[in-house]
């Protein structure tokens, strides 16, 4: 009886490989070729000999996988294959951190050289040129695969580093910086410089990554360490390595968008950077009240505007750094300064009100400058001194102010 039809056509027979003998010899030689490649690396690559056994083991697996992938590629050169997965998939992701791209290139080159030197032994008679040409093409493909693996690893590290950096910057700006933030900063290469300040301004439109990279370039040129990020519409830079916040801000100002740029005071370390960040943020908020403010400007130069805008730290700083020293220096300085400011900065008018010689007023005003660092004869400084006097008197009348 005839056999019933199944309805399924017979599977097409696989065409014979045009170089069956060479393919078979290549399969048989894979193990010895891998051993020769590892021995050659041990002989010629000092960094390989110095590596821990675990990493050398992974490199050996990569070499074996590379030769096996070539064998499979020689079997089916037209089939779509992911060489990077076949070769580097055997090694853990951490290997790209332990082995540099240059070292990986040396490893691949050594393996290819071993395979090339064995062509005459592995290839069947007459197939030498075919195998050599296939190896040359495969070497090109493995070079591209190596570049792809390290590019992907770099992108992954870059994304993770950007996330860490954003966490550190946000912690400093929000006042939540702790030892964890310091540890994250250290992982990003922050070497705990002695002088740290925070610079704030408006972030430009466009790709924030380009802005961050521009800040880093400016920092490298100025020999500064920076942690930076774009938070909303603000560009935040934590800079370390210089004891002059205004000079720091000037060296980094290029990538900022038009508008005020404020530098907070210098603090000793990253944990204290919250104080600098809060001062810079308060200054940025109050900067609109000083239309002729320089760019960049110090947060301490905005103390009167910050105090009027209800910044408690600015109020306390004005009282403690201006009013209290004048109070301790004697009632005459406070009285003279008050009268001088009320008399439209007139020496003669103040002298008449105080019943003293103008030279006495002049001397006392110089003492005010020595004690506070602010000159009553300068319009901007006079404004700051006036606000400090008002806040000091309020504080004396109500200790809660």
């Amino acid at each position: 009886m005839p056999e019933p039809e199944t309805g399924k056509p017979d599977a097409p027979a696989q065409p014979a490989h045009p170089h069956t003998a060479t393919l078979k010899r290549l399969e048989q030689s894979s193990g010895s070729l891998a051993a020769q490649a590892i021995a050659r690396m041990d002989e010629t690559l000092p960094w390989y000999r110095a590596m821990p056994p675990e990493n050398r083991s992974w490199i050996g697996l990569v070499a074996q996988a590379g030769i096996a992938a070539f064998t499979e590629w020689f079997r089916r050169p037209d089939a779509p294959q992911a060489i990077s997965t076949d070769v580097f998939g055997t090694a853990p992701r951490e290997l790209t951190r332990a082995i540099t791209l240059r070292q990986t290139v040396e490893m691949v080159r050594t393996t290819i050289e071993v395979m090339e030197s064995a062509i005459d032994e592995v290839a069947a008679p007459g197939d030498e040129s075919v195998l050599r040409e296939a190896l040359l093409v495969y070497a090109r493909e493995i070079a591209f695969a190596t570049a792809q693996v390290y590019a992907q690893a770099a992108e992954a590290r870059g994304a993770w580093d950007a996330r860490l950096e954003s966490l550190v910057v946000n912690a400093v700006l929000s006042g939540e910086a702790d030892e964890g933030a310091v540890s994250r900063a250290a992982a990003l290469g922050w070497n705990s410089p002695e002088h740290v300040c925070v610079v704030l301004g408006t972030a430009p439109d466009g790709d924030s990554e380009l802005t961050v990279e521009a800040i880093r370039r400016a920092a490298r040129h100025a020999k500064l360490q920076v942690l930076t990020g774009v938070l909303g519409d603000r560009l935040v830079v934590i800079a370390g390595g210089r004891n002059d916040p205004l000079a720091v801000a000037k060296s980094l100002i290029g990538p900022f968008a038009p508008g005020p740029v404020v530098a907070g005071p210098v603090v000793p370390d990253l944990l204290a950077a919250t104080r600098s960040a809060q001062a810079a943020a308060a200054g940025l908020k109050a900067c609109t009240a000083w239309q002729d403010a320089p760019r960049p400007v110090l947060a301490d130069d905005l103390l009167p505007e910050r105090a009027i805008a209800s910044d408690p730290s600015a109020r306390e700083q004005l009282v403690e750094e201006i009013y209290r020293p004048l109070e301790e220096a004697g009632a005459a300085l406070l009285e003279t300064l008050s009268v001088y400011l009320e008399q439209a900065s007139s020496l003669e008018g103040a002298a008449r009100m105080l019943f003293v010689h103008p030279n006495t007023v002049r001397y006392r005003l110089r003492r005010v400058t020595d004690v506070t660092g602010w000159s009553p004869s300068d319009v901007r400084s006079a404004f700051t001194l006036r606000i400090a006097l008002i806040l000091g008197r309020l504080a004396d009348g109500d200790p809660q102010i």
Side-chain angles (χ1 to χ4, degrees):
M1 293 178 64
E3 295 182 0
E5 296 183 0
T6 61
K8 295 181 180 180
D10 294 336
Q14 292 291 336
H17 195 278
H19 306 285
T20 304
T22 297
L23 178 61
K24 185 176 181 180
R25 296 171 71 170
L26 184 60
E27 291 172 341
Q28 294 172 345
S29 303
S30 295
S32 62
L33 288 174
Q36 292 175 40
I38 294 171
R40 179 78 64 85
M41 281 187 274
D42 187 65
E43 178 184 349
T44 61
L45 303 178
W47 58 265
Y48 175 78
R49 293 193 300 270
M51 297 191 78
E54 181 181 6
N55 287 345
R56 281 185 301 192
S57 174
W58 285 119
I59 290 177
L61 288 178
V62 171
Q64 293 174 17
I67 295 173
F70 172 66
T71 303
E72 186 62 27
W73 184 84
F74 185 75
R75 185 196 312 276
R76 296 184 300 168
D78 297 330
Q81 299 175 40
I83 292 178
S84 61
T85 302
D86 293 340
V87 176
F88 297 100
T90 59
R93 184 179 300 177
E94 291 78 7
L95 195 64
T96 58
R97 293 181 180 269
I99 304 176
T100 65
L101 176 59
R102 179 184 61 81
Q103 291 170 339
T104 303
V105 169
E106 290 178 352
M107 176 188 70
V108 171
R109 181 188 292 120
T110 301
T111 304
I112 295 296
E113 287 175 351
V114 168
M115 295 174 66
E116 190 175 16
S117 65
I119 284 178
D120 292 337
E121 300 176 9
V122 174
D127 283 353
E128 292 84 358
S129 61
V130 172
L131 188 60
R132 183 173 288 105
E133 182 179 351
L135 184 60
L136 289 174
V137 176
Y138 178 77
R140 182 194 66 187
E141 296 299 322
I142 199 68
F144 284 128
T146 302
Q148 180 183 13
V149 167
Y150 275 83
Q152 291 173 343
E155 288 178 359
R157 284 197 299 270
W160 178 246
D161 288 351
R163 175 62 176 162
L164 278 184
E165 190 168 15
S166 178
L167 289 173
V168 174
V169 170
N170 187 64
V172 169
L173 199 62
S174 63
E176 299 175 357
D178 54 14
E179 291 297 335
V182 175
S183 177
R184 295 186 188 99
L188 294 168
W190 181 264
N191 294 327
S192 300
E194 293 182 358
H195 307 296
V196 179
C197 71
V198 176
V199 181
L200 284 181
T202 304
D205 296 332
D207 192 342
S208 60
E209 292 183 6
L210 296 178
T211 301
V212 167
E213 185 55 37
I215 288 289
R216 292 199 180 104
R217 285 197 302 270
R220 286 193 295 268
H221 185 266
K223 296 180 172 56
L224 294 168
Q225 294 186 51
V226 294
L227 297 167
T228 183
V230 176
L231 303 181
D233 62 347
R234 287 184 179 181
L235 176 55
V236 185
V237 183
I238 305 168
R242 191 178 299 179
N243 194 22
D244 184 348
L246 193 59
V248 169
K250 288 180 179 179
S251 63
L252 301 176
I253 200 170
F256 284 87
V261 175
V262 182
V266 170
V267 293
D269 52 40
L270 190 62
L271 285 176
T274 289
R275 188 168 74 250
S276 181
Q278 290 174 345
L284 192 63
K285 177 182 177 182
C287 204
T288 54
W290 185 11
Q291 294 185 346
D292 295 328
R295 184 178 187 270
V297 62
L298 294 175
D300 283 356
D301 288 344
L302 288 158
L303 282 174
E305 286 82 7
R306 289 166 52 194
I308 294 172
S310 302
D311 178 7
S313 63
R315 292 186 173 193
E316 180 180 358
Q317 190 172 344
L318 285 170
V319 172
E320 296 301 323
E321 294 184 4
I322 295 179
Y323 185 80
R324 296 303 176 203
L326 288 175
E327 189 177 46
E328 294 172 2
L333 290 188
L334 272 177
E335 182 185 19
T336 301
L337 177 61
S338 178
V339 171
Y340 176 76
L341 295 176
E342 291 173 0
Q343 294 297 314
S345 301
S346 169
L347 286 173
E348 290 75 11
R352 286 194 300 270
M353 292 292 296
L354 294 169
F355 302 103
V356 296
H357 194 277
N359 285 342
T360 302
V361 176
R362 187 178 287 110
Y363 167 77
R364 291 177 181 176
L365 294 180
R366 283 199 300 266
R367 288 278 295 133
V368 168
T369 303
D370 294 338
V371 170
T372 66
W374 299 85
S375 173
S377 61
D378 177 77
V379 174
R380 178 69 191 174
S381 295
F383 174 61
T384 303
L385 291 167
R386 182 184 288 274
I387 298 297
L389 290 181
I390 293 171
L391 293 173
R393 290 166 183 160
L394 290 172
D396 284 345
D398 184 353
Q400 293 184 352
I401 295 179

